[in-house]
Amino acid sequence: MAITNNRLTAEQYEQNFSDIHPPFDSREAALVDANRCLFCYDAPCTKSCPTSINIPKFIKQITTDNIKGSAYTILDANIMGGGCSKVCPVEKLCEGSCVFNLMDEPPIPIAKLQRYSTEKAIAHKWPLFQRKPSTGRKVAIVGAGPAGLSCAHVLSREGVDVTIYEKERKGGGLMTYGIAAYKVTPEFCEDEVNFITSLGGIEIKYEQELGKNVSLSDLQANYDAVYIGIGVGVARQLDIPGEDLAGVEDAIRFIYDIREKGYPSVPVGDRVAVIGLGMTAIDAATQAKRLGAKEVTIVYRRTQAEMPSTEVELNLAKLDGCSLIWLASPKEIKGENGRVTQLICNVMELGVPDTSGRRTPVETGETITLAVDMVIKAAGQVPFEDLVDSNQLNNWKGKIAIDSNCATNIPGVFAGGDCVNGGKEVVDAVQAGKDGAKAILKLFVSK
C-alpha cells in the first residue's frame, strides 16, 4: 500500500470530477420544469431560503423568457446565487419545502432553474446592478468569502468604497477552497467573484492575513467601519495517539490541495479511512475515491439518524463506492516506519437519553481494526480562537460574539458568517453579509 499521486489518466480525472449536477440541456427543458411551478402565495420555498429569494417570481420570469429579470430577482437577494445553486443543500431548504413533496411528486428543481438564470448572467457579464455615487465612506472587510463578498456588494451598491483583505490568492472562501470540485469548479468561482466586483467600488487585496500582514487597529484607524468575515478553517484534532503519523491528513487541507494544485498532484492512499460524516467528510471521501483510492471507509461515532450530512450527500458517497461504519469512534492510529497502517476504533452504543432526548454514544469495550494507509480527519472545524482572542474580540470558544446589529464589542467593528455561527451553509453566510452591510449603513446614517 502506498500514497501516490497521478494515479489516473487525464480522461479519468475529467470524468470523475465532471459536473455532478449537469444544467438543463435546452431552453425547452427548463421551461417544462418552470411551468410545473404552482407559484404559491406565501411560498414555503421562499420562506425556507435564508436569503429569502422570491422563488416563484424568478421561476415565473423564466417561463416568460425574462432570463435577465430572473437573474436579477435571484442575485438581488443572494449575490452568490450562482454558486449556491450548485452547493446548497436544497433538499432541506427550498426544494425540501416545495408543496409537491406533500403530493408525493418530485419537487420543482429550484436549484437547477436558479442555475439556468444565474449562469447566463455571470457568463455574459450582464450589468444587472448600478452603483450609487460614492459617499466618501470607506469600509474594510476581512475575508473574501461569501459573507465578505455579500457585505461588500450591498455596501458598494449604496456608494460605499470597500476594500477586502483576503489571506488566499483567490476570493470566494469556502466556495473556492473548501467544496468538492465536481460540485463547483475553481473557474466558476473565479468568474463569480469577478461578477460581484464588476459593480465597482470593491477592491480585493490578496495574500493579506489578519494578524500577519494587516492589523485590526490599522483597519480601524483607516476606515469608517470594519466587517470581519474570516469563517472557520482550523480542523478539529482527534487527540488520539498516532495522529502525527505520515498519511494522516486534515480534510480541509486535502480538499484545499485538490482545488489549489489540481487532481493529479494530490496523493491518495489505496485504503482510506475518513473520520466524520458532515459535508466536508463526504466531500473528502468521494474525492479520495475519485482520485483513485481502492477502498474508502467512512467512520462515524453516531448513527444515521444523527449524521450532520444530508441523505442526498450520504447516497452520493455510497454511489461512489464508499463504505460506512456506524457507531465507531477513533481510539488510536498505528503505523510502521512513521507511516500509518492501522486505525483502531472503539465500538460504541447509544446511551441513556439526555434532557434534550439525544442519546450520547458510549464505549462498549470492544474495538475494531481497519488496515489503512491514509486517514482523513473530518471531525469538524473550530474557529480561529487565538486570532479572535488576540484582537480582544468577545467570543464564545472562538466564535465572535455580536449583538442584534451584527456589532462586536469593539465600536465600529462588525462580524458575521461562520466566524460567528461556527459553520453553516454558504447561503447563511451570504445573508449574514447582507445583515452586516445593513447594520453598517444604519451606523453611517446615525452619524
Side-chain angles (χ1 to χ4, degrees):
M1 296 186 289
I3 299 180
T4 59
N5 59 0
N6 207 26
R7 285 173 171 262
L8 307 177
T9 65
E11 292 76 17
Q12 287 174 313
Y13 282 123
E14 181 67 29
Q15 182 178 356
N16 287 355
F17 288 90
S18 62
D19 197 335
I20 198 167
H21 298 299
F24 288 110
D25 56 9
S26 67
R27 166 183 170 272
E28 289 71 26
L31 288 175
V32 167
D33 272 320
N35 279 306
R36 284 182 59 228
C37 183
L38 300 176
F39 311 114
C40 302
Y41 174 75
D42 204 20
C45 53
T46 293
K47 284 183 172 181
S48 67
C49 174
T51 57
S52 302
I53 295 172
N54 189 334
I55 294 168
K57 181 179 180 181
F58 93 69
I59 293 178
K60 186 68 174 177
Q61 288 169 313
I62 290 175
T63 68
T64 59
D65 270 339
N66 183 8
I67 308 304
K68 193 170 285 188
S70 175
Y72 179 86
T73 298
I74 297 162
L75 297 170
D76 183 48
N78 179 349
I79 193 58
M80 297 193 80
C84 285
S85 72
K86 300 168 187 277
V87 305
C88 255
V90 291
E91 60 276 3
K92 68 178 184 182
L93 296 173
C94 56
E95 291 181 22
S97 301
C98 179
V99 294
F100 276 118
N101 291 301
L102 302 175
M103 306 176 196
D104 292 324
E105 291 188 32
I108 302 298
I110 296 167
K112 200 170 183 178
L113 289 165
Q114 183 168 312
R115 177 176 178 178
Y116 178 74
S117 297
T118 55
E119 279 196 342
K120 285 181 170 59
I122 293 169
H124 295 293
K125 302 177 182 178
W126 288 339
L128 298 177
F129 304 98
Q130 298 298 318
R131 183 172 190 254
K132 292 180 181 178
S134 177
T135 62
R137 295 284 193 180
K138 298 191 303 177
V139 172
I141 294 176
V142 185
L149 288 168
S150 173
C151 183
H153 196 263
V154 173
L155 290 172
S156 184
R157 284 178 68 178
E158 294 300 317
V160 177
D161 297 319
V162 179
T163 304
I164 305 178
Y165 293 84
E166 168 56 45
K167 71 175 182 178
E168 302 291 351
R169 295 188 299 112
K170 295 178 181 177
L174 177 72
M175 288 287 292
T176 298
Y177 290 105
I179 292 175
Y182 54 74
K183 293 180 181 175
V184 57
T185 66
E187 293 76 23
F188 177 83
C189 291
E190 189 169 348
D191 289 344
E192 187 169 49
V193 172
N194 290 337
F195 179 80
I196 293 168
T197 57
S198 67
L199 174 69
I202 303 171
E203 179 188 6
I204 304 179
K205 294 187 176 183
Y206 293 107
E207 299 182 282
Q208 299 294 308
E209 185 174 351
L210 183 65
K212 291 187 179 178
N213 316 85
V214 61
S215 71
L216 184 56
S217 58
D218 284 345
L219 297 180
Q220 288 176 269
N222 294 309
Y223 294 89
D224 298 303
V226 179
Y227 182 82
I228 300 174
I230 54 176
V232 290
V234 181
R236 189 183 304 280
Q237 297 301 300
L238 302 175
D239 295 325
I240 61 174
E243 200 168 356
D244 57 349
L245 286 167
V248 180
E249 302 282 347
D250 289 331
I252 300 163
R253 172 54 57 180
F254 181 66
I255 295 169
Y256 178 99
D257 286 346
I258 294 171
R259 305 284 294 194
E260 182 73 355
K261 298 176 182 177
Y263 322 124
S265 301
V266 179
V268 69
D270 283 330
R271 296 181 178 178
V272 180
V274 177
I275 298 168
L277 197 50
M279 297 295 192
T280 301
I282 296 285
D283 281 358
T286 53
Q287 289 191 112
K289 203 77 171 67
R290 291 168 186 238
L291 286 173
K294 294 176 182 176
E295 297 176 13
V296 175
T297 304
I298 300 173
V299 177
Y300 184 52
R301 66 190 297 264
R302 296 182 182 272
T303 68
Q304 186 169 342
E306 290 93 15
M307 68 179 184
S309 69
T310 64
E311 195 81 23
V312 170
E313 293 282 330
L314 178 63
N315 289 337
L316 174 62
K318 289 178 178 178
L319 286 170
D320 272 7
C322 300
S323 57
L324 290 106
I325 300 177
W326 305 99
L327 290 168
S329 179
K331 177 183 180 181
E332 182 181 2
I333 302 171
K334 291 187 175 182
E336 294 176 6
N337 301 318
R339 299 202 63 86
V340 59
T341 57
Q342 290 181 331
L343 174 64
I344 316 296
C345 296
N346 287 313
V347 176
M348 313 296 284
E349 63 181 6
L350 293 179
V352 178
D354 60 20
T355 52
S356 68
R358 194 180 194 199
R359 299 170 68 187
T360 302
V362 294
E363 296 177 10
T364 64
E366 299 178 33
T367 62
I368 54 174
T369 300
L370 301 178
V372 296
D373 56 7
M374 186 175 190
V375 174
I376 301 177
K377 300 179 293 182
Q381 296 163 250
V382 294
F384 298 104
E385 189 167 359
D386 291 343
L387 177 63
V388 171
D389 280 336
S390 66
N391 283 286
Q392 285 79 53
L393 288 159
N394 285 351
N395 65 90
W396 185 77
K397 294 184 178 179
K399 292 190 288 186
I400 299 174
I402 59 172
D403 64 15
S404 58
N405 289 316
C406 306
T408 70
N409 59 298
I410 301 175
V413 178
F414 300 78
D418 286 357
C419 65
V420 169
N421 63 41
K424 289 188 177 180
E425 307 296 343
V426 172
V427 67
D428 294 293
V430 172
Q431 184 58 41
K434 288 166 59 181
D435 293 339
K438 289 174 186 173
I440 292 170
L441 292 170
K442 185 178 176 183
L443 172 71
F444 292 163
V445 170
S446 65
K447 282 188 175 182

